[in-house]
Amino acid sequence: MRVFQQTLKYSVVLLLTLSSSIIFAGSGGNGDHDKKGNPIDTQEEIKAYIKHHLQDSHDFTFYTDGQSGTHYGFPLPVILWDQGVKMFMSSKFHHGETVAQSGDSFYKLYHGKIYKTDAEGTITYDDHQHPTNVKPLDLSITKSVVGMILVSVLMLLMFSSLAKGYKKGPIPTGFARVLEPLVIYVRDEIARPNIGEKKYRKFMGFLLTVFFFIWILNLLGLTPLGFNVTGNIAVTVCLALFTFFIVQFSGNKDYWKHIFWMPGVPVLMKIILMPIEILGMLTKPFSLLIRLFANITAGHFVVMSLIALMITMKAAFGPVASTGMSIVLSLFISVIEILVAFLQAFIFTMLSSLFIGMAVQEHDHH
Amino acid sequence: MDQLLNDFSPGLFFMQAIILLILILLMRKFAWKPILDSLNDREEGIQEALDAAANAKKELQNLKSDNERIFNEARTERDNMLKEARELKETMISEAKEEAQAEAQKIVVKAQETIASEKKAAIADLKNQVANISVDIAEKVVRRELTDKDNQLKLVESMLGDVTLN
């Protein structure tokens, strides 16, 4: 069993590395969705490509052959809630080119979103070029969901093996030796100092999970598999909402008193401070979700733009210079992004524990 | 902002919430709880071992100081004993000396007394002998008186020469 697990682990790592090297070569130069036969080479096309990458998608494309227009990848299941569950594979959309039929309803994929249409796939637009068609609740196993499930499975495998290791002896061996200091780091550097010795234990489950979840997803986003999970606003909103609810539900009497009736200030100030404090209650998770989203999105955007430099600058500097520049710069930014991947996970967990700490803190009466 | 709202996918949000919730619950049960428990146990074990070591060290220290104290006590006791013995010796010697002196004194006094009494007896004896000798001489002188005055003197002289005062 152990050998099997290890083999699995190593093969996942190997697969990630291999696919990164192969797909990097592809993602920079060609791979067009909309126009067959043309490599992506104009400013607008690159912009659209990056934008497309930053969004979630309903299929898993590793590489697209620009010349023949074939996509290498696999479709993912689409699950819609539209007066009952509708399930089919995303291959039915043919990357947005055809209308998918499920039962007697028709759906079309348009800019990464699924709209309900008629049999011809007509999409009506409003003044701002936004489609006005009905959007069914899309519970599909999208690329981001695949990423999250992948990370969840990885985390469960890694940390349950660490947990099992303790049954054999107090000192972990092998890969667990790498994981243990990370767990200790989160506990001793993030949770304990911010929440306090007495109460930190209750929140460790959330903090550790969120820390490793964000970190591994951030790192996964740096592999050219094309994941952009933590740079997805829905994901960061969800993470921040978890923190928000945990803070509100674990807040003690002092916490609520400081929000609604600040002690130690004149009555007039209490009334003025109340809305400010309530606003503060909401801005805290908001800052969390925007920070994570913006950092990761910006990171992806910059890396992809720098890779695209080799095309955009080809006219100005020639192919060799532009490629060299692109490689050097994107390597540099990628190294920084590895740091940012950790940093954002750290900051998110740190601030979450800080907010929790503020909510559960016993104030001495001042 | 409009773009952000447009990008927000309720479906993904929903899936993420479910996945995260399940993940937190599973991780808590299968990973974090046993990991944190064993970490705690290990840290407590280490703390206990350290405490035990510190205690042992302290006890050793105590034992050492006890030993030292006992040793010191033994030494002072020995010193005291030696001192007492020395004092005893000295007093004994001085007493013996005094006794000996007194005895000697006594012996001397006795001897002096004996000498005195002996001397008296001797003197008395001598007196008797002198008286006897005188009488003898007188007798002989008287006997030879008839012959010669010179002879008489010779005789006296020879007789006196015989007399030894002892």
Side-chain angles (χ1 to χ4, degrees):
Chain A
M1 187 61 199
R2 213 179 124 72
V3 176
F4 167 70
Q5 270 188 1
Q6 280 197 339
T7 326
L8 189 75
K9 261 183 260 171
Y10 290 132
S11 40
V12 166
V13 173
L14 197 70
L15 194 75
L16 288 180
T17 351
L18 266 183
S19 47
S20 357
S21 47
I22 295 168
I23 291 151
F24 238 132
S27 59
N30 30 32
D32 184 10
H33 257 249
D34 304 320
K35 296 179 193 90
K36 276 184 215 133
N38 285 325
I40 298 179
D41 49 6
T42 64
Q43 206 80 24
E44 288 72 39
E45 278 170 346
I46 289 168
K47 236 179 168 173
Y49 187 84
I50 293 174
K51 202 179 154 198
H52 175 80
H53 159 80
L54 290 177
Q55 278 176 346
D56 203 1
S57 78
H58 284 84
D59 49 50
F60 211 114
T61 311
F62 292 121
Y63 167 64
T64 306
D65 190 344
Q67 252 71 44
S68 64
T70 15
H71 302 278
Y72 297 96
F74 48 87
L76 295 167
V78 174
I79 305 166
L80 298 176
W81 180 264
D82 184 23
Q83 287 141 16
V85 180
K86 301 275 164 68
M87 250 181 98
F88 51 93
M89 293 306 279
S90 69
S91 48
K92 269 193 177 180
F93 289 125
H94 291 100
H95 301 275
E97 288 150 24
T98 57
V99 180
Q101 187 186 2
S102 172
D104 39 312
S105 313
F106 297 91
Y107 303 100
K108 190 165 169 61
L109 191 64
Y110 177 75
H111 281 293
K113 293 212 181 302
I114 295 173
Y115 297 94
K116 195 173 182 178
T117 59
D118 52 10
E120 281 75 45
T122 328
I123 286 178
T124 49
Y125 301 95
D126 63 6
D127 305 337
H128 303 285
Q129 285 295 303
H130 291 313
T132 50
N133 294 42
V134 180
K135 273 196 280 185
L137 183 59
D138 181 7
L139 300 176
S140 311
I141 309 296
T142 58
K143 203 172 180 179
S144 296
V145 176
V146 169
M148 288 191 282
I149 291 171
L150 185 69
V151 169
S152 305
V153 171
L154 265 178
M155 275 171 73
L156 274 171
L157 279 179
M158 290 192 307
F159 290 103
S160 61
S161 83
L162 172 62
K164 268 188 218 118
Y166 286 115
K167 281 181 191 148
K168 277 179 257 159
I171 314 287
T173 51
F175 187 53
R177 207 173 274 182
V178 182
L179 297 178
E180 194 202 76
L182 295 171
V183 176
I184 294 179
Y185 178 77
V186 173
R187 187 191 63 176
D188 290 351
E189 304 298 324
I190 298 178
R192 260 188 187 160
N194 287 316
I195 301 177
E197 198 62 44
K198 278 181 237 156
K199 290 172 180 159
Y200 82 95
R201 190 66 204 259
K202 213 167 60 181
F203 304 102
M204 281 311 282
F206 171 71
L207 293 174
L208 280 166
T209 311
V210 161
F211 177 78
F212 287 107
F213 189 72
I214 296 177
W215 190 18
I216 300 173
L217 276 175
N218 285 348
L219 287 175
L220 203 62
L222 292 178
T223 64
L225 291 175
F227 283 115
N228 180 29
V229 186
T230 36
N232 211 305
I233 191 92
V235 173
T236 58
V237 165
C238 179
L239 286 166
L241 269 184
F242 266 71
T243 302
F244 177 75
F245 283 121
I246 285 173
V247 169
Q248 308 318 319
F249 284 124
S250 54
N252 57 15
K253 217 175 76 188
D254 278 335
Y255 171 72
W256 293 110
K257 206 172 170 186
H258 273 75
I259 286 176
F260 289 113
W261 209 242
M262 181 70 83
V265 295
V267 177
L268 193 67
M269 279 301 283
K270 283 183 206 273
I271 294 163
I272 297 171
L273 277 174
M274 197 198 306
I276 297 174
E277 287 289 329
I278 291 171
L279 200 67
M281 205 166 97
L282 300 170
T283 51
K284 280 172 193 163
F286 191 73
S287 74
L288 276 183
L289 80 91
I290 289 296
R291 184 179 297 110
L292 182 59
F293 165 76
N295 269 286
I296 302 305
T297 306
H300 280 241
F301 190 86
V302 169
V303 170
M304 291 195 76
S305 306
L306 287 175
I307 291 171
L309 263 190
M310 75 174 91
I311 299 143
T312 48
M313 290 289 154
K314 199 154 84 179
F317 296 116
V320 178
S322 65
T323 310
M325 198 165 75
S326 160
I327 287 174
V328 169
L329 286 175
S330 50
L331 185 69
F332 173 67
I333 292 295
S334 294
V335 170
I336 289 178
E337 281 305 307
I338 290 173
L339 183 70
V340 169
F342 171 78
L343 205 64
Q344 288 309 316
F346 170 76
I347 289 175
F348 193 97
T349 322
M350 183 73 160
L351 289 176
S352 292
S353 57
L354 191 72
F355 298 153
I356 293 170
M358 282 156 91
V360 298
Q361 196 179 32
E362 309 277 356
H363 291 274
D364 359 311
H365 289 279
H366 34 162
Chain B
M1 197 65 209
D2 187 40
Q3 178 73 37
L4 272 185
L5 284 178
N6 194 42
D7 278 349
F8 182 86
S9 153
L12 181 62
F13 173 80
F14 189 71
M15 293 301 279
Q16 149 83 350
I18 291 172
I19 290 174
L20 189 58
L21 201 66
I22 294 172
L23 183 66
I24 289 173
L25 292 178
L26 284 179
M27 289 301 272
R28 261 173 88 151
K29 183 151 180 3
F30 293 112
W32 305 136
K33 203 173 137 39
I35 289 172
L36 290 174
D37 281 348
S38 1
L39 282 179
N40 257 7
D41 286 352
R42 194 176 73 191
E43 271 154 23
E44 273 167 20
I46 291 171
Q47 196 55 51
E48 270 167 25
L50 284 177
D51 288 350
N55 272 347
K57 207 173 165 188
K58 220 174 177 181
E59 263 168 34
L60 202 71
Q61 203 74 37
N62 282 348
L63 214 64
K64 223 173 169 182
S65 64
D66 260 17
N67 277 349
E68 205 154 317
R69 193 172 49 79
I70 290 169
F71 180 70
N72 280 343
E73 274 173 15
R75 199 155 60 179
T76 48
E77 206 164 321
R78 191 199 63 181
D79 285 353
N80 282 345
M81 275 164 86
L82 279 176
K83 207 170 146 195
E84 269 172 27
R86 208 174 289 135
E87 277 169 5
L88 197 65
K89 185 189 82 178
E90 267 161 25
T91 51
M92 268 168 89
I93 287 172
S94 64
E95 269 174 20
K97 257 185 191 162
E98 269 166 28
E99 250 170 54
Q101 221 154 14
E103 201 71 18
Q105 201 72 35
K106 252 190 218 164
I107 289 169
V108 167
V109 168
K110 229 178 188 176
Q112 274 170 349
E113 277 172 5
T114 318
I115 287 168
S117 65
E118 292 276 314
K119 201 176 161 184
K120 244 185 207 167
I123 287 171
D125 198 26
L126 193 66
K127 270 179 186 168
N128 282 344
Q129 275 185 23
V130 168
N132 285 344
I133 290 165
S134 308
V135 172
D136 281 351
I137 292 169
E139 206 184 271
K140 276 170 187 173
V141 169
V142 170
R143 262 182 212 157
R144 288 179 70 174
E145 202 183 348
L146 313 154
T147 51
D148 192 1
K149 208 176 176 183
D150 283 340
N151 284 345
Q152 284 175 8
L153 279 173
K154 258 187 210 163
L155 187 70
V156 169
E157 257 172 40
S158 73
M159 285 208 152
L160 275 174
D162 287 347
V163 174
T164 49
L165 282 169
N166 50 352

